[in-house]
């Protein structure tokens, strides 16, 4: 019998694959796949623990391409009566989003069907799909996975990456960039990035803009500065550091120093930022504005502690 998108069909769990989903037998030798992101409408700590191998469930056909059949177990697809419902956890004292009798409400997990539904700066939840010494991939939808490089996993050093981020682990992060045409998504799981009240994106930068940041590294040819509230780094060439000749930058700056700079050039293709830190670039900048920014800095630092 031909399967049609939207049809409800019975399925039997053949296998549960951590970080991937369920393999379902649909009858007559036909198989279907349920993505780990399509098991429930809410973010669930252990979605593949909801059904055991051999258990029957009502599935909704969401895509058919040749022999491949994609299914969903989401209540919003199969109806609440037939849905597999994740259990709510008992909330701790002071826990947010509590329901009746102190039970903690599970965060809604929207369906993500393509990278074009995502945008830089967006907060999303997903499940670790695979992990290596270079980072991990997080499944955000049945056909969308985001890359998390090693430096974006945590604010702290992670000694055992595979142990800390096993396949199937539920994580929440912030989207850093999206290439919708190529279906590529980069995200960060760092707490400081996820909790930041505002993130500076490359698309928001303008030539002539005054920015604040911290010295990331010192090279013989200049200073690399990480822009405040972003993962963007800019280069201030040694000739743009001071109107006077500077022989040794290490005698002027140290890694971690807070600095102010002006954006001189932006390369939209290479996504590079050229900065200037000569005093003349800041003439006319109101002291009041600087004081207000300092207060914002203090608030952000308190959030990141």
């Amino acid at each position: 019998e031909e399967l049609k998108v939207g049809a409800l069909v019975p399925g039997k769990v053949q296998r549960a694959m951590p970080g991937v989903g369920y393999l379902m037998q649909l009858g007559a030798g036909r198989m279907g796949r349920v993505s780990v992101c399509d098991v429930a409408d809410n973010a669930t700590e252990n979605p593949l623990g909801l059904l055991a191998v051999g258990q029957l469930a009502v599935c909704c056909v969401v895509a058919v391409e040749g022999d491949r059949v994609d299914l969903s177990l989401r209540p919003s697809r199969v109806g609440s009566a037939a849905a597999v419902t994740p259990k709510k956890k008992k909330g701790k004292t002071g826990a947010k989003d509590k329901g009746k009798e102190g039970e903690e409400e599970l965060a809604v997990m929207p369906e993500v069907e393509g990278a074009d539904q995502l945008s830089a700066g967006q907060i999303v939840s997903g499940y670790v799909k695979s992990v290596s010494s270079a980072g991990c991939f997080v499944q955000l939808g049945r056909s969308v996975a985001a890359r998390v490089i090693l430096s974006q996993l945590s604010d702290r050093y992670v000694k055992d990456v595979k142990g800390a981020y096993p396949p199937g682990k539920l994580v929440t992060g912030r989207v850093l960039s999206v290439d919708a045409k190529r279906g590529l998504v980069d995200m960060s799981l760092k707490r400081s990035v996820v909790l930041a009240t505002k993130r500076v994106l490359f698309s928001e930068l303008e030539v002539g803009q005054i920015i604040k940041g911290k010295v990331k590294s010192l090279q013989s040819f200049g200073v690399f500065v990480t822009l405040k509230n972003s993962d963007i780094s800019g280069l201030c060439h040694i000739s743009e550091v001071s109107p006077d000749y500077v022989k040794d930058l290490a005698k002027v700056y140290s890694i971690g120093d807070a600095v102010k700079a002006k954006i001189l050039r932006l390369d939209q293709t290479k996504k590079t930022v050229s900065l200037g830190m000569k005093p003349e670039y800041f003439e006319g900048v109101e002291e009041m504005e600087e004081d207000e920014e300092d207060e914002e800095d203090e608030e952000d630092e308190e959030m990141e502690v």
Side-chain angles (χ1 to χ4, degrees):
E1 184 179 348
E2 183 180 354
L3 294 176
K4 296 182 179 181
V5 174
L8 298 182
V9 296
K12 178 188 290 186
V13 178
Q14 287 294 299
R15 186 169 42 157
M17 300 168 284
V20 179
Y22 288 118
L23 184 64
M24 309 289 290
Q25 182 178 352
L26 302 179
R30 192 153 197 183
M31 308 297 289
R33 185 188 68 168
V34 178
S35 167
V36 66
C37 296
D38 285 326
V39 174
D41 285 319
N42 303 90
T44 308
E45 288 291 345
N46 183 26
L48 299 189
L50 301 178
L51 291 175
V53 173
Q55 190 169 344
L56 295 174
V58 176
C59 311
C60 177
V61 179
V62 291
V64 179
E65 187 174 342
D67 293 330
R68 174 168 171 167
V69 180
D70 287 321
L71 307 167
S72 176
L73 296 175
R74 285 174 174 261
S76 57
R77 290 278 193 175
V78 302
S80 58
V84 179
T85 307
K87 295 180 180 179
K88 297 178 180 179
K89 291 184 173 182
K90 290 293 182 179
K92 297 180 181 179
T93 303
K96 295 181 179 179
D97 302 324
K98 288 183 179 179
K100 296 181 179 179
E101 299 180 356
E103 290 184 335
E104 188 177 353
E105 296 293 338
L106 299 171
V108 174
M109 191 170 178
E111 286 190 71
V112 178
E113 298 183 9
D116 56 351
Q117 289 181 244
L118 302 172
S119 58
Q122 186 176 348
I123 299 295
V124 293
S125 293
Y127 301 94
V128 175
K129 177 183 180 181
S130 60
V131 61
S132 70
S133 58
C136 70
F137 280 90
V138 176
Q139 200 72 39
L140 301 178
R142 70 184 71 98
S143 59
V144 182
R147 180 183 66 172
V148 183
I149 62 175
L150 187 61
S151 61
Q152 292 297 334
L153 284 177
S154 174
D155 290 301
R156 299 179 179 180
Y157 172 68
V158 180
K159 184 177 182 180
D160 182 9
V161 177
K162 293 183 179 180
Y165 298 91
K169 179 176 181 177
L170 173 64
V171 295
T172 297
R174 187 184 292 270
V175 176
L176 299 178
S177 64
V178 178
D179 185 336
K181 291 183 178 180
R182 299 169 63 192
L184 302 178
V185 182
D186 280 294
M187 68 183 291
S188 175
L189 303 182
K190 294 170 69 172
R191 185 170 181 272
S192 61
V193 174
V194 175
L195 296 182
T197 53
K198 55 185 178 181
R199 300 295 296 167
V200 177
L201 306 177
F202 189 88
S203 59
E204 297 174 333
L205 300 178
E206 298 178 356
V207 173
Q209 183 179 349
I210 303 298
I211 60 93
K212 282 192 172 187
K214 291 186 177 181
V215 174
K216 179 181 180 181
S217 67
L218 299 171
Q219 306 296 330
S220 60
F221 51 84
V223 181
F224 281 96
V225 177
T226 299
L227 279 60
K228 177 177 174 287
N229 286 334
S230 81
D231 296 294
I232 303 170
S233 293
L235 171 64
C236 179
H237 190 269
I238 192 170
S239 63
E240 293 292 348
V241 169
S242 170
D244 302 317
Y245 174 69
V246 178
K247 183 178 181 180
D248 187 359
L249 288 170
K251 292 183 178 180
V252 183
Y253 298 102
S254 298
I255 294 177
D257 281 354
V259 296
K260 181 170 60 176
K262 182 176 183 177
I263 298 177
L264 303 180
R265 291 177 297 280
L266 293 170
D267 188 319
Q268 299 292 339
T269 302
K270 297 180 179 179
K271 303 298 182 184
T272 56
V273 184
S274 297
L275 304 171
M277 295 194 291
K278 294 179 180 179
E280 63 194 65
Y281 291 140
F282 312 114
E283 294 178 358
V285 176
E286 295 293 335
E287 291 296 326
M288 184 180 295
E289 292 180 2
E290 294 182 4
D291 291 339
E292 290 176 352
E293 290 180 359
D294 288 337
E295 291 178 3
E296 291 177 1
D297 286 342
E298 293 176 1
E299 291 176 357
D300 290 341
E301 288 174 1
E302 290 176 359
M303 284 191 63
E304 295 177 10
V305 172

